[in-house]
Amino acid sequence: RFLDRVYRHLRLEQDDGGYAAQNAVQNSGELNKVYHDVAKLIHAASAQTLAENESLTETAPEIALVESATVGWTRAFYTLAQRDEQERKKTYGKND
């Protein structure tokens, strides 16, 4: 099933071009289904909440899909580091 979907998308890119294929996927709502399935898999939102909302970004904005695990960990690490830096500046001021 997965490989069939990848193959169909590659054929779409070959026939219509990469940008057209991307727009087709975005307009079809398939990406919302991916976010829905990921949220369900990791219990980020209840099944009832997922069923009630078409757009998962409203119910589970903490879901982020990235191109690799390395990118995901790097983004998470730097987000935490930046938050800590902002908190430190609030607490101790900018001139320490």
Side-chain angles (χ1 to χ4, degrees):
R1 217 172 96 190
F2 173 77
L3 291 177
D4 292 337
R5 180 62 190 102
V6 170
Y7 179 74
R8 282 196 331 264
H9 184 77
L10 290 174
R11 291 291 305 199
L12 183 62
E13 282 187 355
Q14 182 180 15
D15 294 342
D16 297 343
Y19 291 117
Q22 177 185 357
N23 288 336
V25 170
Q26 288 174 338
N27 294 336
S28 72
E30 288 183 70
L31 290 178
N32 280 339
K33 183 173 178 353
V34 171
Y35 283 95
H36 176 279
D37 291 346
V38 169
K40 188 175 176 182
L41 178 68
I42 64 172
H43 303 285
S46 70
Q48 181 180 5
T49 302
L50 294 173
E52 293 170 357
N53 294 290
E54 283 186 26
S55 175
L56 188 61
T57 55
E58 297 170 2
T59 59
E62 67 276 7
I63 304 286
L65 300 177
V66 294
E67 56 269 25
S68 70
T70 301
V71 170
W73 279 109
T74 302
R75 286 185 185 178
F77 173 77
Y78 283 111
T79 299
L80 294 174
Q82 183 179 27
R83 186 195 64 195
D84 291 345
E85 179 69 16
Q86 290 171 348
E87 187 64 31
R88 186 188 61 76
K89 285 181 179 179
K90 260 194 238 179
T91 303
Y92 299 108
K94 293 183 180 184
N95 298 325
D96 54 309

